[in-house]
Amino acid sequence: MSKQLRVAIIGSRFMGKAHSNAWLQAGRFFDIVSQPVLKVACGRDKEFLREFAERWGWEQTETDWRKVVVRDDVDVVDISLPQHLHCEVATAAAQAGKHIFCEKPMALTVAEAQAMLQAAQGARIKHYINHNYRRCPAVQLARRLIEEGKIGRIFHWRGAYQQDWIVDPDFPLTWHLRKETAGTGPHGDLNSHSVDLAHYLVGDIATVGCLTASFVRTRPLPSKGAGTFDAGGSSTSTEFGEVTVEDASLMNVEFTNGAVGSFEATRFASGRKNRNTFEIYGSNGGLAFDLERMNELQYHSRVEPDYVQGFRTILATEPSHSYIRNWWPPGHIIGYEHSFVHAVVDFINAIDKDLSIEPNFFDGLKCTKVLEAGLQSAASGKRVPVML
Ligand code: SOE
């Protein structure tokens, strides 16, 4: 029998759109018991919000998130906001007993992440941090091969998350480039994804060394339409402000299991739009993934006879690959938005079947600890242990 899960979304920009689509698609493609009801959308700009709600089918709109999180007709609070707002909203939602689907990165600091986890644990709700790339079928395949021992003992992780949307010095000073709203630059925004994947595929991180770099220190103030990846039109302001986050981050880590890893995160990799790659090398083989070819996993097996060894490309679109059976026949590839649908499906199942879902606030806190240790290392020039 189908039940309802009434969702409130807070935030209506890039992630608001990705999440709305996921709530809509989940029950169409997957067999879930509770069907999401898009109850209320919350944002500050009334006119933009009205159009957003109409387009995606949100029943109502509201400009005050405090009213939304305590509504009796809301079961789930979806936090699609910039990270400086996560802690306050998540804590209030948890105290009101709502399940929480929260965008990454979890929070600005370890202290905030700890407060969120504490509130969620006290409330006995389902809580999830949306590191959506875990739910690409090819990434799930990587995990499966590791669990099956096909890679053997892991020696190396190499992650690089590269974008280029702020190479132009005239790209405006949007919220991603200010410490008070973003906390960090690509170190938190992009490395958080890579650290989450490394936790998922390799294991916990014990120590961190990190170097950050700044290339463009001042930028024109943004116009109203500016946002992530979007300068918001051609009119460049004559007023400038200071960029207060790093432009690139290079981190190296020791894992608790003895593996070592490197993480590169930048928005200055000309020509790389959203290139999220990792490589894993072990005693029995190797793996490589590139989000720009997200249906594929590269796999090398050392266990095969040497004359046939080499990296092969597996197209992760067989019914035996995670999630794919519910979409299309083999070879009919899926895209970025599907990873969000998969996350929503697993989140709803976790609620219905009272299962835990990962990454949750506990995993988000662990990730935040690694990133914060990275910043401490960049400031001090020393290796920093991660206090798990
Ligand atoms: C901007 O760098 C951004 O939108 C990130 O915030 C997302 O998490 C990433 O998936 C795409 O790029």
Side-chain angles (χ1 to χ4, degrees), residues 14 104 133 161 163 165 176 189-190 193 228-229 274 336:
F14 180 15
K104 50 58 63 179
Y133 300 127
Y161 202 144
Q163 300 178 338
W165 52 286
H176 271 104
D189 184 29
L190 304 181
H193 277 307
T228 318
F229 297 101
N274 195 36
Y336 172 71

Side-chain angles (χ1 to χ4, degrees), residues 52-360:
F52 170 83
E54 257 171 38
R55 174 178 290 267
W56 293 102
W58 292 94
E59 288 177 9
Q60 297 163 25
T61 59
E62 170 59 61
T63 50
D64 183 353
W65 67 263
R66 287 178 199 283
K67 287 189 186 152
V68 168
V69 299
V70 294
R71 278 173 62 148
D72 289 337
D73 60 353
V74 164
D75 305 304
V76 172
V77 173
D78 174 334
I79 304 176
S80 291
L81 293 165
Q83 48 269 30
H84 70 290
L85 299 166
H86 289 186
C87 183
E88 199 182 5
V89 177
T91 308
Q95 281 160 0
K98 311 300 181 193
H99 301 296
I100 303 173
F101 188 101
C102 182
E103 237 329 288
K104 50 58 63 179
M106 181 172 182
L108 295 185
T109 58
V110 166
E112 280 189 356
Q114 268 159 344
M116 288 167 71
L117 176 61
Q118 208 177 351
Q121 281 176 328
R124 306 182 72 231
I125 53 167
K126 300 298 170 198
H127 41 95
Y128 167 72
I129 300 292
N130 188 36
H131 286 293
N132 52 306
Y133 300 127
R134 274 196 194 200
R135 288 178 163 81
C136 296
V139 173
Q140 300 263 315
L141 175 61
R143 164 102 171 193
R144 176 175 170 180
L145 295 176
I146 290 166
E147 279 176 349
E148 287 176 359
K150 296 221 163 46
I151 307 306
R153 175 181 165 198
I154 296 177
F155 303 124
H156 288 288
W157 160 275
R158 181 171 185 224
Y161 202 144
Q162 300 160 303
Q163 300 178 338
D164 74 350
W165 52 286
I166 60 170
V167 172
D168 181 352
D170 284 335
F171 188 94
L173 188 64
T174 50
W175 71 264
H176 271 104
L177 309 183
R178 293 192 288 117
K179 191 172 164 60
E180 64 273 27
T181 41
T184 59
H187 180 70
D189 184 29
L190 304 181
N191 264 344
S192 66
H193 277 307
S194 306
V195 168
D196 179 70
L197 288 175
H199 278 156
Y200 181 55
L201 296 169
V202 181
D204 286 347
I205 290 170
T207 73
V208 178
C210 185
L211 170 76
T212 56
S214 293
F215 306 121
V216 175
R217 285 296 72 194
T218 59
R219 290 183 178 272
L221 299 185
S223 63
K224 193 161 180 264
T228 318
F229 297 101
D230 184 357
S234 53
S235 64
T236 306
S237 169
T238 49
E239 266 189 88
F240 277 65
E242 198 192 338
V243 177
T244 44
V245 296
E246 83 293 339
D247 286 328
S249 159
L250 303 175
M251 192 161 73
N252 60 71
V253 307
E254 291 172 304
F255 290 88
T256 53
N257 61 14
V260 290
S262 68
F263 294 80
E264 181 185 332
T266 180
R267 298 171 177 146
F268 277 78
S270 300
R272 303 300 189 190
K273 302 299 164 185
N274 195 36
R275 184 168 186 260
N276 175 6
T277 62
F278 65 75
E279 295 167 19
I280 294 172
Y281 301 103
S283 54
N284 291 344
L287 294 169
F289 173 78
D290 177 351
L291 181 68
E292 291 182 348
R293 305 186 70 93
M294 63 167 278
N295 289 271
E296 298 173 1
L297 183 70
Q298 303 283 324
Y299 168 51
H300 161 67
S301 169
R302 279 193 78 243
V303 178
E304 290 177 352
D306 55 4
Y307 59 89
V308 293
Q309 278 186 28
F311 274 89
R312 72 174 82 137
T313 303
I314 304 173
L315 189 62
T317 59
E318 294 300 314
S320 56
H321 293 127
S322 305
Y323 306 109
I324 283 293
R325 177 188 297 279
N326 288 73
W327 293 106
W328 317 116
H332 295 68
I333 54 178
I334 61 165
Y336 172 71
E337 71 275 24
H338 294 78
S339 60
F340 290 80
V341 180
H342 302 161
V344 159
V345 168
D346 289 346
F347 182 76
I348 294 173
N349 275 329
I351 293 172
D352 281 339
K353 299 177 185 156
D354 195 19
L355 303 167
S356 79
I357 178 164
E358 292 172 359
N360 52 39

Side-chain angles (χ1 to χ4, degrees), residues 1-4 30-35 348-349 352-353:
M1 201 188 58
S2 101
K3 294 191 291 184
Q4 289 193 338
F30 290 81
D31 298 324
I32 42 178
V33 176
S34 292
Q35 297 301 319
I348 294 173
N349 275 329
D352 281 339
K353 299 177 185 156

